[in-house]
């Protein structure tokens, strides 16, 4: 079921309290437009994230990502589009803990659990744990997913241009375009 | 006169206190390697800045810039190099105040004064004042300079690849490569 606008407003306020705690300042205009992405599943506290996009030009993109405790940004990758290399991104943890999973040697006993009922859409298990000051760079076409730790997390993303509509998710029920009801 | 390594260490510690105040976390390794750039003039508190480079790949660069009160990053621009467009950068103020000057209509009574004795190397006067949460994007080949306000400033820079050696400064005494004495 799509999220209501009232629910969205509530999650925006919540994301703002995380940013406040981390000392990250937004303009009032930015605070009013924090993006609440439930990826079309209608299970935001389980699958989704909040975002503040600072800049997204032809060449450069920078965002803050806000994850609730245990909230998952599901497995996806950034393909080449029209001969241009896919999105390259660096995640830098600013606050809390984030569990990041990428292609490669599976980590035994990983910290994160995929969202209930969607386990089949998670198949990369090389674990990277990011705490404040830690960062990791993902080259294009790397499958990845990530989950907020017990307190949630704030992650700065530094990347090339972001074109959400080209992201490829394993879970075919996911849609990147937001939908809200009154 | 080149800065001594002891002076550099002192300015690194100082930059770290600014980052701490802004809630920006570095790894111990990063803290030990904060870049102190005096641009070869040996007048760091007047002309220069401290930098933490988080990432600088072929496509993406992200940094924190730390400015002391009244400290100036002198006028320069980022030219095209070997047919590739110059560096594009977005400055986002995180803490304090920064006075940014770019090409365009000169602002009457600007807040900043160029460093003493080097006034002739400053000739763009369109003023943009950035406070926490404010940001400004500079397209390539835009002449610009900036100065820390009364408390100094921390500015996040989101950009394309950084190639300091290609930066063009108005002041021909400036050299971007660092030099330190024992």
């Amino acid at each position: 079921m799509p999220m209501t606008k009232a629910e969205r407003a509530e999650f925006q306020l919540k994301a703002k309290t995380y940013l406040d705690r981390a000392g990250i300042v937004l303009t009032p205009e930015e605070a009013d437009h924090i993006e609440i992405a439930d990826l079309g599943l209608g299970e935001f506290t389980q699958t989704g994230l909040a975002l503040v996009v600072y800049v997204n030009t032809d060449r450069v993109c920078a965002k803050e990502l806000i994850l609730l405790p245990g909230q998952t940004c599901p497995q996806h990758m950034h393909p080449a589009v029209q001969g241009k290399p896919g999105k390259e991104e660096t995640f830098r943890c600013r606050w809390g803990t984030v569990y990041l999973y990428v292609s490669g040697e599976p980590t035994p006993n990983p910290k994160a659990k995929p969202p209930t009922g969607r386990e089949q859409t998670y198949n990369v298990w090389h674990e990277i744990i990011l705490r404040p000051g830690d960062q990791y760079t993902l080259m294009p076409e790397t499958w990845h997913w990530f989950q907020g730790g017990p307190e949630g997390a704030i992650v700065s993303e530094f990347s090339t241009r972001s074109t959400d509509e080209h992201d490829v998710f394993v879970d075919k029920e996911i849609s990147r375009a937001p939908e809200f009801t009154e």
Side-chain angles (χ1 to χ4, degrees), chain A:
Chain A
M1 219 181 87
M3 193 183 291
T4 66
K5 286 183 180 173
E7 287 169 321
R8 176 176 57 174
E10 202 179 295
F11 287 125
Q12 285 176 321
L13 280 178
K14 188 149 203 168
K16 180 66 167 57
T17 65
Y18 280 69
L19 293 165
D20 289 346
R21 247 178 285 168
I24 295 173
V25 181
L26 301 187
T27 62
E29 171 81 8
E30 287 171 331
D32 284 346
H33 292 88
I34 295 174
E35 184 184 346
I36 300 298
D38 78 351
L39 306 160
L41 298 184
E43 304 168 343
F44 179 71
T45 59
Q46 180 170 286
T47 301
L49 74 169
L51 307 98
V52 179
V53 181
Y54 291 141
V55 60
N56 189 23
T57 69
D58 276 355
R59 299 168 76 197
V60 179
C61 180
K63 302 178 183 177
E64 304 293 353
L65 314 179
I66 305 102
L67 292 161
L68 300 172
Q71 191 182 31
T72 301
C73 177
Q75 188 175 325
H76 66 288
M77 64 90 152
H78 307 287
V81 175
Q82 298 175 330
K84 286 177 91 170
K87 185 182 176 210
E88 170 195 318
E89 47 194 26
T90 294
F91 293 129
R92 183 176 177 93
C93 181
R94 299 292 196 165
W95 185 90
T97 306
V98 64
Y99 305 127
L100 171 64
Y101 298 88
V102 300
S103 322
E105 186 68 29
T107 300
N109 308 311
K111 299 279 188 191
K113 272 195 183 139
T116 306
R118 305 202 163 267
E119 295 83 355
Q120 299 314 311
T121 60
Y122 291 80
N123 60 31
V124 297
W125 285 101
H126 184 74
E127 180 177 78
I128 296 136
I129 300 180
L130 302 177
R131 297 194 173 86
D134 297 332
Q135 64 178 49
Y136 190 82
T137 298
L138 289 165
M139 286 296 149
E141 306 189 41
T142 307
W143 285 103
H144 61 286
W145 60 283
F146 48 96
Q147 186 172 92
E151 306 169 287
I154 298 182
V155 177
S156 295
E157 181 188 291
F158 314 124
S159 75
T160 55
R161 179 170 177 74
S162 195
T163 56
D164 296 336
E165 66 278 19
H166 295 124
D167 294 353
V168 179
F169 286 87
V170 179
D171 188 338
K172 294 308 168 200
E173 289 179 40
I174 283 175
S175 131
R176 190 62 184 81
E179 239 181 72
F180 299 96
T181 56
E182 283 307 324

